[in-house]
Amino acid sequence: MKDFTEWFENVLDQAGLVDTRYPVKGMYVWLPYGMQLRGRVLGILRRLLEETGHQEVLFPLLIPEDQFAKEAEHIRGFEDQVYWVTRGGGSDLDVRLVLRPTSETAMYPMFSLWIRSHADLPLKVYQVVSVFRCETKMTKPLIRVREVTTFKEAHTVHATAEDAERQVREAVEIYKRFFDELGIPYLITRRPPWDTFAGAEYSIAFDTVSPEGKTLQIGTVHNLGQKFSQVFRIRYLDRDGNHRLAYQTCYGISERVIASLIFTHGDELGPCFPPKVAPIQVVIVPIPFEGFDPLPLAREVKERLERVQLRVQLDGGEERPGEKYYKWERRGVPLRIEIGPEEVRQRKVTAVPRDTRERLEVPLADLEARIPELLGELGERLRRRAWERLKERIVEASSFEELKGEGVIGRIFWCGREECARQVEEQLGLSMLGMEVEDPSVGKCLVCGREGKRAVVARTY
């Protein structure tokens, strides 16, 4: 796709996902079709969280300034991004309020009230809310916004550092399973100190790649250590009757996951949604012809597919078949079923997967088995193709020259020193994403030659 930004904004409009015309920069409206997609994506994440013992909560939007300012490193990381509420009605407020940029300082004063002994641990909660950040760069719907409307943040509290470390590993596995179900490929890195979440001991991030070759951060996991528990006095009574400071973690995603779902599985026509999350999995297009009425068979097919729990749309409108094909392709429906005179005569349907557009005959006798099978095959093709595209961009680089290609993602060895990372960034325009979490290999730093670990550099949003 020649102009990714234009393509992406056209997709959001023509697929009926969001309306970007809301009169506040960096904010937009989710439309019904987009909400269905969003809800199914979040449904996968909720399932994975609740299978691992997380419980859903909902905290207020407003945070008092004195609570927000308690953790100095945290406020320094966000003070240039927050929106302040200073008046209520016609009067100035006694205490200024922050529209949450994230919820640590909203949640943790309450955690200190809830946690009394080791029996209360671990605490594992999450919420899906809007957060607000005063984005000063050029905004892009779903990618760089002022209201993050789909912010899933999980927060956990533990008795020991070892428990917190185990929770970090569990969070990484949850996100791997989540992105795998969506067919979104990813890189996992431990962010360098200057790109660590404000107040965290360290941060791990998941990144994917867009069609224009830039990486997009789509998930983060943070080990908070005891920094916040010390400030907010989150303590527990251990088995020996001693008061101990707790250890904490947090991890989040945003609607960037929806953005990456769209562009990862998209083509020139628009999106192709994985069947697991597609609002409509199958669209049936009857093709009228003189002497044949395809509607009775189309209705029968719809009813039979709905009985096997598929989400089916029958398009009986007045548009010509070609116009209907184009309309539903633009909306990302993964499978089209055509029913014309030949299908009526031979008691079959013609199935057309969105990704290959191959025309496949399916006898009605095989309908309930074959259509779900075709959807499963399509989902696997999407996942496999997405990973292949990511891997094609990765260059195992041992020199600066190898990193100069357009849209290159570089795997290099890096000693961990900031001056070496800055040299790569300044000379090549690439950002240091950090050291790879799941690659233990060592080699000579690309810049200084000292011993280093495998790291990733790329252009970012």
Side-chain angles (χ1 to χ4, degrees):
M1 51 192 73
K2 295 178 182 178
D3 187 329
F4 170 68
T5 297
E6 181 181 354
W7 175 89
F8 186 70
E9 293 186 1
N10 284 340
V11 164
L12 296 180
D13 176 35
Q14 294 172 11
L17 300 170
V18 302
D19 192 328
T20 61
R21 296 173 295 179
Y22 191 74
V24 177
K25 180 185 177 184
M27 298 184 182
Y28 50 87
V29 178
W30 282 96
L31 298 173
Y33 195 66
M35 284 296 288
Q36 291 176 49
L37 176 67
R38 176 183 181 272
R40 295 192 179 281
V41 170
L42 287 173
I44 292 173
L45 189 55
R46 281 190 165 98
R47 168 172 55 80
L48 294 172
L49 288 167
E50 289 170 13
E51 284 175 357
T52 49
H54 297 73
Q55 294 182 299
E56 189 167 8
V57 295
L58 181 60
F59 273 72
L61 167 66
L62 298 173
I63 304 171
E65 182 179 15
D66 55 346
Q67 295 293 335
F68 182 70
K70 274 190 173 181
E71 212 292 312
E73 186 178 349
H74 185 71
I75 191 173
R76 278 198 303 273
F78 283 103
E79 61 187 346
D80 293 333
Q81 296 180 282
V82 298
Y83 287 95
W84 293 97
V85 178
T86 60
R87 291 176 65 82
S91 304
D92 291 337
L93 298 177
D94 293 336
V95 176
R96 293 197 303 170
L97 303 172
V98 171
L99 294 185
R100 64 174 165 235
T102 181
S103 297
E104 285 74 17
T105 54
M107 290 183 162
Y108 298 170
M110 300 304 296
F111 286 6
S112 70
L113 301 176
W114 297 347
I115 294 168
R116 285 288 173 263
S117 82
H118 62 87
D120 299 321
L121 300 175
L123 175 70
K124 298 164 69 171
V125 298
Y126 75 96
Q127 63 177 6
V128 182
V129 293
S130 284
V131 298
F132 296 83
R133 296 177 186 176
C134 187
E135 181 59 67
T136 55
K137 298 179 182 178
M138 183 178 292
T139 59
K140 186 189 291 286
L142 276 68
I143 292 176
R144 190 173 291 283
V145 296
R146 290 184 170 178
E147 180 183 6
V148 182
T149 60
T150 312
F151 191 67
K152 187 288 304 173
E153 52 182 325
H155 296 262
T156 72
V157 187
H158 305 270
T160 66
E162 293 75 19
D163 273 347
E165 192 63 36
R166 276 193 293 271
Q167 189 60 44
V168 167
R169 293 196 295 272
E170 179 182 89
V172 168
E173 289 303 313
I174 289 170
Y175 282 176
K176 286 169 66 176
R177 290 172 60 195
F178 175 58
F179 294 125
D180 286 344
E181 289 202 32
L182 297 175
I184 297 172
Y186 48 81
L187 302 160
I188 311 175
T189 56
R190 179 164 169 156
R191 286 299 199 240
W194 59 89
D195 195 24
T196 294
F197 178 71
E201 296 285 333
Y202 66 85
S203 296
I204 292 172
F206 284 70
D207 290 85
T208 194
V209 64
S210 77
E212 60 183 343
K214 292 183 179 180
T215 57
L216 181 69
Q217 182 176 290
I218 52 174
T220 51
V221 181
H222 312 290
N223 189 324
L224 303 179
Q226 293 181 308
K227 289 187 178 181
F228 286 93
S229 62
Q230 190 165 19
V231 169
F232 291 100
R233 298 182 62 78
I234 303 173
R235 299 155 64 92
Y236 69 95
L237 199 65
D238 69 13
R239 296 179 186 276
D240 298 323
N242 301 308
H243 283 98
R244 305 285 186 186
L245 278 177
Y247 293 82
Q248 295 178 259
T249 78
C250 65
Y251 31 103
I253 66 154
S254 73
E255 61 258 52
R256 284 184 169 192
V257 171
I258 309 293
S260 61
L261 185 73
I262 293 166
F263 65 61
T264 294
H265 304 306
D267 58 20
E268 292 296 334
L269 277 178
C272 177
F273 295 127
K276 278 192 176 183
V277 295
I280 299 169
Q281 295 170 307
V282 180
V283 62
I284 302 171
V285 179
I287 305 170
F289 195 77
E290 187 176 350
F292 287 92
D293 181 5
L295 274 175
L297 180 55
R299 293 190 187 103
E300 177 192 333
V301 168
K302 180 176 186 289
E303 290 171 4
R304 287 172 61 179
L305 292 179
E306 287 178 336
R307 283 200 292 269
V308 293
Q309 307 302 309
L310 295 183
R311 298 183 291 278
V312 186
Q313 175 79 35
L314 170 58
D315 189 344
E318 297 298 320
E319 300 160 294
R320 290 177 296 182
E323 293 173 318
K324 293 179 181 179
Y325 301 164
Y326 183 72
K327 173 179 70 177
W328 294 110
E329 285 174 342
R330 299 289 283 183
R331 301 201 84 186
V333 176
L335 189 68
R336 179 175 76 241
I337 288 179
E338 301 171 12
I339 301 177
E342 283 302 307
E343 285 78 13
V344 172
R345 272 195 293 263
Q346 297 183 32
R347 296 290 291 173
K348 68 178 184 180
V349 300
T350 297
V352 184
R354 168 70 177 78
D355 61 331
T356 64
R357 297 185 181 83
E358 181 184 6
R359 301 177 66 78
L360 305 168
E361 292 186 0
V362 178
L364 285 184
D366 300 336
L367 189 73
E368 287 87 347
R370 185 63 179 138
I371 296 303
E373 190 176 69
L374 288 175
L375 289 170
E377 292 168 0
L378 185 150
E380 178 57 23
R381 282 196 304 274
L382 293 181
R383 186 197 65 79
R384 191 167 56 246
R385 184 186 67 175
W387 273 102
E388 287 170 358
R389 287 177 173 176
L390 173 61
K391 289 173 182 176
E392 285 169 2
R393 289 192 178 274
I394 296 174
V395 173
E396 307 276 348
S398 56
S399 70
F400 275 32
E401 195 63 32
E402 294 172 282
L403 295 171
K404 290 182 178 178
E406 188 66 29
V408 163
I409 297 172
R411 296 183 76 228
I412 66 171
F413 287 109
W414 172 50
C415 64
R417 297 191 311 155
E418 184 171 355
E419 52 263 43
C420 288
R422 296 301 186 199
Q423 194 168 330
V424 173
E425 292 178 347
E426 290 165 9
Q427 292 192 26
L428 297 170
L430 303 176
S431 296
M432 173 59 72
L433 299 187
M435 292 179 176
E436 289 194 57
V437 169
E438 298 183 332
D439 187 342
S441 56
V442 295
K444 291 185 177 181
C445 175
L446 179 69
V447 180
C448 70
R450 292 180 174 89
E451 185 177 283
K453 294 182 179 179
R454 185 68 77 179
V456 179
V457 292
R459 288 174 179 83
T460 65
Y461 284 98

